[in-house]
Amino acid sequence: MDMHTWLIYVVAITGLSLSPGPNGLLALTHGAVYGWRKATYTVSGGVFGFVVVIAGSMFGIGALLQASLTWLTLMKWVGGAYLVWLGIQVWRSPPVSLQLGAAANERSPASMFAQGALSALTNPKVLRFFAAFLPHFIDPAKSLVTQFVVITSTFAAFEFATELVIVGMAQHINAWLARSGKRFNQVCGGLFVTIGAALPLRA
């Protein structure tokens, strides 16, 4: 992946990491209830789940591209349309509201990791997002394994760092979302619409 394409990818995954979703809300909740140290296990589980989803999406797409490169163009346009639709949904979604209660009991690191992983693995929107998103960054002429390493390691690093910031500032972020959550959703939604409209036009 050349530097220009990689930078576009970084911008896109940053928007994904920041946008409202089950894993971000779970990390926010666990950060507020259990503290950032324990919530790190939740974040790690979520990142692991995302990597598994990326692997399934990417190698499935790669196998399809081996059959016909015509699919790449089709998938780019369909994927771009889906990202635009997703952006509109995020734009229109209500602000995230986090109602915190006292921790009923202590959670083991393993259970928090598992909950984070299951939240990512069982979310069909995640699979649809990556199926729409990844064709724009896959070069069929290059090694799929090498591209997988670059794509997943970059995503894992940015997702982990972003969610770690969220859990570390859970109390402050929750108060901020109550004030500015709608505008935040509009910014994230606008980013997805822009990416979805622009990516299919790239050579």
Side-chain angles (χ1 to χ4, degrees):
M1 187 182 295
D2 61 68
M3 182 60 67
H4 179 257
T5 302
W6 183 80
L7 289 174
I8 295 174
Y9 175 70
V10 167
V11 170
I13 62 175
T14 300
L16 174 62
S17 298
L18 291 174
S19 63
N23 277 82
L25 184 58
L26 182 64
L28 182 63
T29 303
H30 282 188
V33 174
Y34 300 107
W36 75 269
R37 289 182 183 276
K38 294 201 73 173
T40 301
Y41 293 102
T42 307
V43 174
S44 300
V47 171
F48 171 78
F50 283 133
V51 169
V52 172
V53 172
I54 292 175
S57 299
M58 190 164 180
F59 287 103
I61 292 168
L64 190 61
L65 296 182
Q66 292 294 321
S68 173
L69 292 181
T70 304
W71 282 105
L72 180 60
T73 301
L74 178 62
M75 292 175 71
K76 283 183 175 181
W77 283 99
V78 172
Y82 174 74
L83 293 177
V84 170
W85 178 85
L86 181 62
I88 294 172
Q89 300 305 305
V90 172
W91 179 290
R92 298 173 60 186
S93 63
V96 172
S97 177
L98 180 61
Q99 303 297 326
L100 296 176
N105 50 24
E106 285 299 315
R107 298 286 300 277
S108 69
S111 70
M112 296 179 76
F113 181 94
Q115 189 173 0
L118 286 173
S119 180
L121 290 169
T122 59
N123 184 356
K125 290 184 179 180
V126 173
L127 181 59
R128 288 198 297 267
F129 177 87
F130 282 115
F133 178 67
L134 291 178
H136 301 282
F137 299 96
I138 296 176
D139 185 346
K142 297 180 180 178
S143 168
L144 193 62
V145 173
T146 301
Q147 293 178 82
F148 170 74
V149 170
V150 173
I151 285 173
T152 53
S153 60
T154 301
F155 176 81
F158 275 79
E159 178 71 13
F160 186 82
T162 300
E163 291 203 13
L164 209 58
V165 170
I166 290 174
V167 300
M169 301 178 62
Q171 298 288 356
H172 300 292
I173 290 176
N174 187 40
W176 177 81
L177 284 173
R179 298 191 307 270
S180 307
K182 184 62 178 177
R183 181 60 57 86
F184 179 71
N185 289 353
Q186 290 174 345
V187 171
C188 292
L191 178 61
F192 281 139
V193 169
T194 301
I195 292 170
L199 283 179
L201 302 177
R202 296 175 64 241

